Amino acid sequence: QVQLVESGGGLVQAGGSLRLSCAASGRTFSNYVMGWIRQAPGKEREFVAGISRSGSYTRYADSVKGRFTISRDNAKNTVYLQMNSLKPEDTAVYYCAADQSYTIATSATAYDYWGQGTQVTVSS
């Protein structure tokens, strides 16, 4: 089992930037595909970005392509989400999640372990 703790959320104006971090502990971090999933009020959880075990491959939701960048540092057991050009519709709770498979899933239900979430609010 892996434990995940997110940080870096907050309130930002539209057009601004935030960097989310997710620190992992427990099992070997590099054995997991990592993802960021978000949930806005009244909506279902939505895949945002995912990164392969080695960090060589990434996938993004169309809504964030070109604005968000996912990365990981396996030596630090940490995954990041750099969010630029933020929009009010990016407002959500952002969750870090880990998947034991070998491919980057875009369905939130594929992820096995979850952090507690961090709130991101983008004001217009």
Side-chain angles (χ1 to χ4, degrees), residues 17-83:
S17 298
L18 281 175
R19 188 194 196 203
L20 305 184
S21 299
C22 172
S25 61
R27 305 290 289 271
T28 304
F29 180 65
S30 59
N31 285 349
Y32 296 90
V33 167
M34 298 300 297
W36 287 96
I37 290 94
R38 67 187 181 187
Q39 187 168 23
K43 295 188 176 181
E44 294 186 352
R45 290 188 176 184
E46 173 192 23
F47 171 81
V48 175
I51 189 165
S52 63
R53 294 181 175 205
S54 66
S56 297
Y57 301 98
T58 57
R59 293 186 73 176
Y60 296 93
D62 288 342
S63 59
V64 307
K65 276 181 184 176
R67 300 189 298 122
F68 291 10
T69 302
I70 188 171
S71 61
R72 68 189 295 165
D73 185 338
N74 285 346
K76 295 183 178 180
N77 292 348
T78 303
V79 62
Y80 306 95
L81 185 67
Q82 178 66 44
M83 305 186 294

